[in-house]
Amino acid sequence: MEKKVYELIDSYRDDFTKMLQRWVRIPSVKSEAEDGAPFGREIRNMLDTAMEDARKLGFAVRDFDGYACDITLGEAEEKIAVLGHLDVVPVGDGWTKPPFEALIENGRMYGRGTNDDKGPALASLFAMKAIQEAGIPLKKSIRLILGCDEESDWEDMAYYGAHEQIPDMGFSPDAMFPLINTEKGMLCLELHATAAEGGLKILEMATGDRINVIPGECKALVEGGRETAEKVKAYADRTKLPYTAEVTDRGVEITATGIPGHSAYPEGKRNAIGMMLLLLKELGAEGPVAVLADKVGTEHDGKSLGCACRDEVSEALTCNMGILKLENGSWFGTLDMRCPVSADQEKLKEAATASLKGFEVKTAIQKPPHHVPAEGELVTSLLAAYEEETGLKGKPMSTGGGTYAKVLKQGVAFGALFPDEEDLAHQADEYEDIDRLMLATKIYANALIRLTGE
């Protein structure tokens, strides 16, 4: 890559940092739609801020009615796409840093969205800026598309695709390096059941906001007193798991503390809902709660549901219960399955339905898997850029995560998390290392020059 591009990216560091702080300080969590703001006012504010900043950097910018924007470099009809997103998941529990202050400590910027996906999206934008300012001749245009509903239903990409042709080839900076060319299919199920009349009486329980988050805490209020609280303590001692119980004038308030994370990456995490289900069954819960304890519990491979499967390309299925709520005598829950490329999703749903006796099971989200051959121009060019900038050997990987790469015919996920970094997407104290983001910016510039340069 030309020396001037490196020098330019290094010179952007202060501006990059201040701009990312401005972006992270906007709590762009999806909320009630408003006129001109289909995903809520804060996401609209975030989109307006991103577009204003891109215009100040000298780019042509278009607003797609609050659903997304695009930022274009070059005049060529053929385009390479970069797809990022501006929305973030809710804060969740366990933060020791302020989630929307963009605090910088020891070279790390803390805040929701620093890693997923505002930091990587901004790195892509500054890579384009360096290419533009360096005067690199382009045979293809570069189009950065920033969506606003990636963490929910992808209505942004549906709207964008209905109003503008999406390029065939490109990448999403919304995962990890070296490169992900295989994404599992997604099958998200809604579970509905009537609460049991017998057994332990559960008065209140409502955990989870998003299907794709592993809950780190679950609370339930149950009938009982000191004896029930002592049973909770005994169970905690026996299982060596963190449960607490407090006797109140309304009953016993129980808390299960898990290890939160992204539902696509359950290894090393612990689902607090699953913990609570196992405890409630131990305390005498019947009906739907007992069924979920037996068939889901803290498993993340779908084995007891009859859904466990794997293949060589994408490895094993994962399953996460992200939401479980008791409302007006009825249970509502969600299961988020990330399915191997070879899996039959309809058969997986049938197996889960057969296992979950007493539940009505509905499909909430269903997305096919995505695979791009490792031998093609896209993968080889991006891996070459990664290897040149890091000095590390790269190879394609698979993931249970779902990125915008799936909306491209030839699309992969490319960074910005490095192999030796902790993945805190959707978790407490999410952060990005600023030095690593600047390196990612150089990798993106290198990759885009390889894909579009003359």
Side-chain angles (χ1 to χ4, degrees), residues 135-450:
I136 304 294
L138 304 179
K139 63 183 178 183
K140 300 176 185 177
S141 299
I142 302 169
R143 175 158 290 170
L144 175 60
I145 303 169
L146 298 177
C148 295
D149 192 37
E150 195 273 350
E151 298 292 3
S152 296
D153 302 319
W154 290 27
E155 292 180 21
D156 51 351
M157 289 298 106
Y159 191 90
Y160 184 90
H163 292 80
E164 176 63 34
Q165 183 175 354
I166 298 177
D168 289 340
M169 181 182 288
F171 63 86
S172 176
D174 189 21
M176 58 196 69
F177 291 121
L179 178 146
I180 292 171
N181 69 326
T182 303
E183 295 187 10
K184 295 177 182 177
M186 296 176 63
L187 178 62
C188 300
L189 303 176
E190 289 185 357
L191 314 179
H192 301 265
T194 302
E197 294 183 2
L200 175 73
K201 188 168 183 59
I202 302 167
L203 304 174
E204 294 178 6
M205 183 169 161
T207 297
D209 298 302
R210 296 295 176 95
I211 59 177
N212 60 355
V213 174
I214 299 171
E217 183 178 84
C218 180
K219 292 180 178 292
L221 181 68
V222 304
E223 275 193 349
R226 178 56 55 192
E227 182 180 353
T228 300
E230 290 174 353
K231 289 181 180 179
V232 173
K233 184 180 184 304
Y235 184 81
D237 291 341
R238 186 169 75 252
T239 60
K240 308 299 183 186
L241 292 173
Y243 296 94
T244 62
E246 181 182 355
V247 179
T248 73
D249 56 2
R250 298 192 303 137
V252 180
E253 185 175 281
I254 303 170
T255 302
T257 303
I259 302 174
H262 191 300
S263 65
Y265 312 108
E267 295 79 7
K269 308 301 186 295
R270 188 175 62 236
N271 190 307
I273 291 177
M275 291 174 61
M276 182 64 76
L277 289 168
L278 295 175
L279 171 61
L280 293 177
K281 184 187 177 189
E282 178 79 7
L283 295 176
E286 299 177 354
V289 170
V291 171
L292 289 176
D294 290 338
K295 299 301 181 180
V296 181
T298 55
E299 291 181 358
H300 58 71
D301 59 2
K303 182 178 180 180
S304 295
L305 285 168
C307 296
C309 57
R310 64 182 302 123
D311 61 33
E312 187 174 345
V313 172
S314 44
E315 301 183 343
L317 175 143
T318 62
C319 180
N320 175 66
M321 175 160 279
I323 300 172
L324 185 61
K325 298 181 178 181
L326 176 63
E327 296 177 340
N328 301 319
S330 296
W331 287 100
F332 168 78
T334 63
L335 290 177
D336 179 7
M337 295 188 192
R338 306 299 170 107
C339 314
V341 169
S342 61
D344 185 326
Q345 294 188 16
E346 291 304 320
K347 289 185 178 179
L348 291 174
K349 180 184 177 182
E350 290 174 5
T353 301
S355 296
L356 295 171
K357 303 295 185 184
F359 281 89
E360 180 185 7
V361 180
K362 299 179 180 179
T363 301
I365 301 173
Q366 187 169 3
K367 296 179 181 178
H370 179 74
H371 176 71
V372 175
E375 302 78 17
E377 174 193 3
L378 177 64
V379 173
T380 56
S381 296
L382 298 186
L383 286 179
Y386 171 79
E387 291 174 354
E388 181 177 343
E389 300 304 328
T390 65
L392 302 173
K393 185 65 179 175
K395 66 176 183 178
M397 304 180 294
S398 68
T399 182
T403 74
Y404 283 152
K406 286 181 176 177
V407 308
L408 303 170
K409 293 179 181 178
Q410 289 284 309
V412 299
F414 188 47
L417 191 73
F418 287 87
D420 62 343
E421 290 186 298
E422 184 180 12
D423 183 5
L424 290 174
H426 296 195
Q427 298 187 50
D429 289 345
E430 177 184 345
Y431 71 85
E432 262 290 3
D433 183 283
I434 297 172
D435 285 342
R436 292 299 184 91
L437 275 177
M438 301 315 296
L439 176 56
T441 304
K442 292 175 181 177
I443 294 172
Y444 292 147
N446 188 320
L448 290 169
I449 291 170
R450 289 174 182 271

